[in-house]
Amino acid sequence: MTDTTTPSSIELLTFQLADQEYAIDIMSVREIRGWTRATPLPQAPRYMKGVINLRGTVLPVMDLAQRLGLAPRAQGDRAVIIVVKHEDSMTGLLVDAVSDIVALTTDNLQVPPDGAAGAGGVVSALTLIDDRMIRVLDLGATVNVSESLAA
């Protein structure tokens, strides 16, 4: 008897945040842009940097490190905005640097141990790539659609 389940392939975009490595599904990435000064909006959540004009579309930009509760850091010259689409909403994620694109199968992903996924369960999986522990973000949990639309 053979197991007929075949692991599906997935490609992840990996990036740096405060000396840590994270990843998101490449299918949600629309483009990667150099840092552009965002226009802050009053009473926005602290992690929202503001909005930018993306070819005529106003796009909210979130400081992903602040959103994840990581330690404050100085913004380097490699900082970029990853434009992602979740459901019908586009959001810019400010990260320290983009690393690479990796191809895996779902067998390479492990569920984080109980209590280790962080507040809000933003880490959906962990994977090892060349001895590097990569945290795979749950984009839905990370990008709150109602807050993105309000920014």
Side-chain angles (χ1 to χ4, degrees), residues 18-109:
D19 296 327
Q20 299 178 6
E21 287 194 271
Y22 289 85
I24 55 175
D25 188 339
I26 194 78
M27 296 305 290
S28 62
V29 176
R30 295 298 173 253
E31 69 180 84
I32 299 170
R33 303 176 48 93
W35 166 242
T36 303
R37 183 174 165 80
T39 302
L41 295 177
Q43 299 186 357
R46 185 180 171 108
Y47 55 82
M48 294 304 293
K49 299 295 279 185
V51 294
I52 61 171
N53 180 355
L54 181 67
R55 294 181 291 281
T57 300
V58 175
L59 181 76
V61 176
M62 129 184 346
D63 184 331
L64 191 54
Q66 281 190 341
R67 171 70 176 97
L68 299 179
L70 301 176
R73 80 269 180 241
Q75 186 174 323
D77 57 352
R78 295 185 58 203
V80 297
I81 297 171
I82 302 172
V83 178
V84 295
K85 184 172 185 179
H86 177 70
E87 297 178 351
D88 292 330
S89 178
M90 298 231 309
T91 303
L93 303 175
L94 176 62
V95 302
D96 294 345
V98 169
S99 301
D100 56 5
I101 297 171
V102 294
L104 305 169
T105 65
T106 51
D107 281 354
N108 298 118
L109 301 176

